[in-house]
Amino acid sequence: MRLWVEEAKRGDQAAWAELVRHFYGMGYAVAIAKLNDSSRAEDAAQDAFAEAFAKLDGLWQPEAFPGWFRTIVERRERICSDTRSKKSRPR
């Protein structure tokens, strides 16, 4: 995993694809546990990967990727959850 992160930081798309392949299940599981909606969980996981890719240079310790990514997913699922509750409130 460390090598994938280091290579992805250098722009290696294959390394980034490996990170996505390896961690997508975890990202989805974290999101579905909170959102209870598969479509929203997929969106949250995908959004989290986009955010992680954009901020990858800020990850100083490649071995911290799993926890760092999980935090991003949790933030994304909160955003999805907040959006959902705002839409369901009567006006």
Side-chain angles (χ1 to χ4, degrees):
M1 177 201 53
R2 179 182 183 90
L3 182 60
W4 292 336
V5 172
E6 290 171 351
E7 292 297 316
K9 286 174 90 170
R10 288 188 206 100
D12 185 326
Q13 292 180 351
W16 179 251
E18 284 299 317
L19 284 169
V20 171
R21 186 184 64 74
H22 191 78
F23 288 99
Y24 185 83
M26 183 266 289
Y28 178 81
V30 169
I32 194 73
K34 299 286 183 176
L35 296 170
N36 294 318
D37 180 309
S38 62
S39 180
R40 287 176 141 341
E42 286 176 17
D43 288 347
Q46 290 172 6
D47 289 349
F49 274 112
E51 182 177 339
F53 183 77
K55 296 180 176 181
L56 195 57
D57 283 340
L59 178 63
W60 296 104
Q61 296 177 317
E63 56 278 349
F65 184 88
W68 177 77
F69 179 67
R70 181 184 179 96
T71 300
I72 292 172
V73 174
E74 289 170 344
R75 187 175 338 119
R76 298 309 307 171
E77 60 86 352
R78 274 195 300 274
I79 291 168
C80 288
S81 182
D82 289 348
T83 301
R84 180 179 175 186
S85 65
K86 286 178 184 173
K87 286 181 179 177
S88 64
R89 285 188 209 144
R91 294 180 190 223

